[in-house]
Amino acid sequence: MKRPILIHPDPRLKKLCPPVDDLSDALRDLADDMLETMYDAPGIGLAAPQIGVLTRAIVLDCVKEERAEPRPLVMFNPQVVAVSDEMSTYEEGCLSIPDQYADVERPAQVKVAWIDRNGSAQEQEFDGLWATCVQHEIDHLDGKLFIDYLKPLRRQMITRKMQKLKRERARA
Ligand code: NI
């Protein structure tokens, strides 16, 4: 089931999310809803707090080519366990901050450990867009948005635009 995506500013997007205990059908349903919501948006990543669920769960799929097989990844309690010295810069966006994009510098490669939907521990290295996306989504679980990497003035400008957007949507 598709869920509504929270738009910044929202206090639920600023919370530290507690870890998942045991994998349950409820959490697997949550992951399915998150994937459906992400693909529908469309986006390449989504974190549980973006649909108002304060728990450490993210989904991503950075396959961009048309006709390519989708590669959905579901991660519970994801953790960056190693980062490269090399950095890379991507123009990032966020489904909670529609139509706003900005360059953010992050480690170019990361190793991530997580629990998969079956409750098994997984570990994998990511690079390119996948590395940026997984770091962006994990940030959400700590109440951090990509605009938090920008200069205060730019961040305030974007926040004001989002406040205006939310007022317009509330009136519609
Ligand atoms: Ni985001």
mmCIF file of all heavy atoms in Angstrom, residues 13 45-47 50 92-97 106 133 136-137 139-140 144-146, ligand 1:
data_model
loop_
_atom_site.group_PDB
_atom_site.id
_atom_site.type_symbol
_atom_site.label_atom_id
_atom_site.label_comp_id
_atom_site.label_asym_id
_atom_site.label_seq_id
_atom_site.Cartn_x
_atom_site.Cartn_y
_atom_site.Cartn_z
ATOM 1 N N LEU A 13 10.808 14.169 10.848
ATOM 2 C CA LEU A 13 11.989 13.998 9.991
ATOM 3 C C LEU A 13 13.281 14.374 10.728
ATOM 4 O O LEU A 13 14.368 14.269 10.169
ATOM 5 C CB LEU A 13 11.853 14.862 8.730
ATOM 6 C CG LEU A 13 10.724 14.454 7.769
ATOM 7 C CD1 LEU A 13 10.575 15.489 6.657
ATOM 8 C CD2 LEU A 13 10.980 13.076 7.173
ATOM 9 N N GLY A 45 15.356 6.049 -3.289
ATOM 10 C CA GLY A 45 15.545 5.628 -1.905
ATOM 11 C C GLY A 45 14.466 6.229 -1.035
ATOM 12 O O GLY A 45 13.892 7.278 -1.371
ATOM 13 N N LEU A 46 14.155 5.543 0.071
ATOM 14 C CA LEU A 46 13.159 6.060 1.009
ATOM 15 C C LEU A 46 13.484 5.504 2.396
ATOM 16 O O LEU A 46 13.867 4.335 2.529
ATOM 17 C CB LEU A 46 11.747 5.622 0.582
ATOM 18 C CG LEU A 46 10.585 6.242 1.360
ATOM 19 C CD1 LEU A 46 10.378 7.711 0.978
ATOM 20 C CD2 LEU A 46 9.285 5.466 1.119
ATOM 21 N N ALA A 47 13.326 6.344 3.408
ATOM 22 C CA ALA A 47 13.562 5.920 4.794
ATOM 23 C C ALA A 47 12.225 5.947 5.538
ATOM 24 O O ALA A 47 11.364 6.782 5.252
ATOM 25 C CB ALA A 47 14.560 6.865 5.459
ATOM 26 N N GLN A 50 10.270 9.013 6.661
ATOM 27 C CA GLN A 50 9.634 9.829 5.613
ATOM 28 C C GLN A 50 8.160 9.480 5.422
ATOM 29 O O GLN A 50 7.416 10.253 4.826
ATOM 30 C CB GLN A 50 10.370 9.666 4.275
ATOM 31 C CG GLN A 50 11.759 10.262 4.292
ATOM 32 C CD GLN A 50 12.422 10.120 2.940
ATOM 33 O OE1 GLN A 50 13.015 9.104 2.626
ATOM 34 N NE2 GLN A 50 12.315 11.138 2.104
ATOM 35 N N GLU A 92 22.096 15.991 -4.995
ATOM 36 C CA GLU A 92 21.104 15.180 -4.292
ATOM 37 C C GLU A 92 19.749 15.867 -4.260
ATOM 38 O O GLU A 92 19.642 17.089 -4.320
ATOM 39 C CB GLU A 92 21.577 14.905 -2.851
ATOM 40 C CG GLU A 92 22.845 14.068 -2.821
ATOM 41 C CD GLU A 92 23.186 13.542 -1.431
ATOM 42 O OE1 GLU A 92 22.294 13.468 -0.554
ATOM 43 O OE2 GLU A 92 24.364 13.199 -1.245
ATOM 44 N N GLY A 93 18.742 15.035 -4.144
ATOM 45 C CA GLY A 93 17.384 15.501 -3.935
ATOM 46 C C GLY A 93 16.766 14.605 -2.877
ATOM 47 O O GLY A 93 17.434 13.719 -2.359
ATOM 48 N N CYS A 94 15.509 14.840 -2.536
ATOM 49 C CA CYS A 94 14.877 14.049 -1.487
ATOM 50 C C CYS A 94 13.361 14.103 -1.694
ATOM 51 O O CYS A 94 12.828 15.182 -1.982
ATOM 52 C CB CYS A 94 15.234 14.629 -0.116
ATOM 53 S SG CYS A 94 14.534 13.710 1.261
ATOM 54 N N LEU A 95 12.699 12.967 -1.532
ATOM 55 C CA LEU A 95 11.237 12.943 -1.735
ATOM 56 C C LEU A 95 10.518 13.802 -0.695
ATOM 57 O O LEU A 95 9.388 14.221 -0.922
ATOM 58 C CB LEU A 95 10.715 11.506 -1.691
ATOM 59 C CG LEU A 95 11.180 10.607 -2.851
ATOM 60 C CD1 LEU A 95 10.683 9.177 -2.653
ATOM 61 C CD2 LEU A 95 10.710 11.156 -4.194
ATOM 62 N N SER A 96 11.185 14.105 0.425
ATOM 63 C CA SER A 96 10.581 14.973 1.442
ATOM 64 C C SER A 96 10.876 16.453 1.194
ATOM 65 O O SER A 96 10.423 17.317 1.952
ATOM 66 C CB SER A 96 11.072 14.579 2.840
ATOM 67 O OG SER A 96 10.587 13.292 3.173
ATOM 68 N N ILE A 97 11.684 16.723 0.145
ATOM 69 C CA ILE A 97 12.040 18.106 -0.214
ATOM 70 C C ILE A 97 11.883 18.222 -1.734
ATOM 71 O O ILE A 97 12.870 18.357 -2.452
ATOM 72 C CB ILE A 97 13.481 18.446 0.245
ATOM 73 C CG1 ILE A 97 13.684 18.052 1.710
ATOM 74 C CG2 ILE A 97 13.784 19.936 0.052
ATOM 75 C CD1 ILE A 97 15.122 18.209 2.201
ATOM 76 N N ARG A 106 30.279 13.355 -0.166
ATOM 77 C CA ARG A 106 30.285 12.234 0.779
ATOM 78 C C ARG A 106 31.396 11.267 0.375
ATOM 79 O O ARG A 106 31.878 11.323 -0.762
ATOM 80 C CB ARG A 106 28.966 11.461 0.717
ATOM 81 C CG ARG A 106 27.712 12.271 1.043
ATOM 82 C CD ARG A 106 26.491 11.360 0.909
ATOM 83 N NE ARG A 106 25.229 12.076 1.028
ATOM 84 C CZ ARG A 106 24.563 12.252 2.176
ATOM 85 N NH1 ARG A 106 25.052 11.786 3.300
ATOM 86 N NH2 ARG A 106 23.404 12.888 2.187
ATOM 87 N N CYS A 133 23.339 7.280 -2.189
ATOM 88 C CA CYS A 133 21.946 7.043 -1.802
ATOM 89 C C CYS A 133 21.860 6.353 -0.437
ATOM 90 O O CYS A 133 21.072 6.764 0.420
ATOM 91 C CB CYS A 133 21.266 6.202 -2.882
ATOM 92 S SG CYS A 133 19.518 5.945 -2.576
ATOM 93 N N HIS A 136 22.628 8.819 2.280
ATOM 94 C CA HIS A 136 21.519 9.780 2.403
ATOM 95 C C HIS A 136 20.364 9.146 3.203
ATOM 96 O O HIS A 136 19.808 9.786 4.104
ATOM 97 C CB HIS A 136 21.084 10.176 0.990
ATOM 98 C CG HIS A 136 19.851 11.025 0.892
ATOM 99 N ND1 HIS A 136 19.836 12.263 0.286
ATOM 100 C CD2 HIS A 136 18.572 10.813 1.307
ATOM 101 C CE1 HIS A 136 18.614 12.768 0.348
ATOM 102 N NE2 HIS A 136 17.816 11.903 0.956
ATOM 103 N N GLU A 137 20.041 7.887 2.888
ATOM 104 C CA GLU A 137 18.909 7.232 3.577
ATOM 105 C C GLU A 137 19.238 6.942 5.041
ATOM 106 O O GLU A 137 18.392 7.106 5.918
ATOM 107 C CB GLU A 137 18.510 5.946 2.853
ATOM 108 C CG GLU A 137 18.064 6.115 1.404
ATOM 109 C CD GLU A 137 17.049 7.222 1.182
ATOM 110 O OE1 GLU A 137 16.236 7.488 2.091
ATOM 111 O OE2 GLU A 137 17.083 7.856 0.116
ATOM 112 N N ASP A 139 21.221 8.651 6.898
ATOM 113 C CA ASP A 139 21.117 9.961 7.560
ATOM 114 C C ASP A 139 19.691 10.231 8.046
ATOM 115 O O ASP A 139 19.490 10.773 9.143
ATOM 116 C CB ASP A 139 21.512 11.086 6.591
ATOM 117 C CG ASP A 139 23.007 11.380 6.581
ATOM 118 O OD1 ASP A 139 23.738 10.805 7.413
ATOM 119 O OD2 ASP A 139 23.437 12.191 5.742
ATOM 120 N N HIS A 140 18.695 9.870 7.219
ATOM 121 C CA HIS A 140 17.298 10.093 7.603
ATOM 122 C C HIS A 140 16.985 9.434 8.956
ATOM 123 O O HIS A 140 16.187 9.955 9.734
ATOM 124 C CB HIS A 140 16.346 9.493 6.559
ATOM 125 C CG HIS A 140 16.013 10.412 5.424
ATOM 126 N ND1 HIS A 140 15.347 11.603 5.592
ATOM 127 C CD2 HIS A 140 16.226 10.291 4.081
ATOM 128 C CE1 HIS A 140 15.172 12.177 4.397
ATOM 129 N NE2 HIS A 140 15.707 11.407 3.466
ATOM 130 N N LYS A 144 18.664 13.449 9.951
ATOM 131 C CA LYS A 144 19.500 14.366 9.173
ATOM 132 C C LYS A 144 19.052 14.381 7.714
ATOM 133 O O LYS A 144 18.832 13.328 7.119
ATOM 134 C CB LYS A 144 20.960 13.918 9.276
ATOM 135 C CG LYS A 144 21.947 14.908 8.755
ATOM 136 C CD LYS A 144 23.354 14.572 9.235
ATOM 137 C CE LYS A 144 24.307 15.692 8.826
ATOM 138 N NZ LYS A 144 25.684 15.414 9.197
ATOM 139 N N LEU A 145 18.951 15.581 7.154
ATOM 140 C CA LEU A 145 18.533 15.753 5.757
ATOM 141 C C LEU A 145 19.713 16.262 4.937
ATOM 142 O O LEU A 145 20.657 16.834 5.486
ATOM 143 C CB LEU A 145 17.382 16.760 5.676
ATOM 144 C CG LEU A 145 16.145 16.417 6.507
ATOM 145 C CD1 LEU A 145 15.171 17.590 6.519
ATOM 146 C CD2 LEU A 145 15.458 15.167 5.977
ATOM 147 N N PHE A 146 19.645 16.077 3.608
ATOM 148 C CA PHE A 146 20.789 16.516 2.787
ATOM 149 C C PHE A 146 20.998 18.027 2.879
ATOM 150 O O PHE A 146 22.120 18.512 2.744
ATOM 151 C CB PHE A 146 20.654 16.037 1.331
ATOM 152 C CG PHE A 146 19.787 16.877 0.435
ATOM 153 C CD1 PHE A 146 20.342 17.927 -0.306
ATOM 154 C CD2 PHE A 146 18.436 16.628 0.309
ATOM 155 C CE1 PHE A 146 19.556 18.712 -1.144
ATOM 156 C CE2 PHE A 146 17.641 17.405 -0.527
ATOM 157 C CZ PHE A 146 18.191 18.444 -1.246
HETATM 158 NI NI NI B 1 15.763 11.809 1.400
#
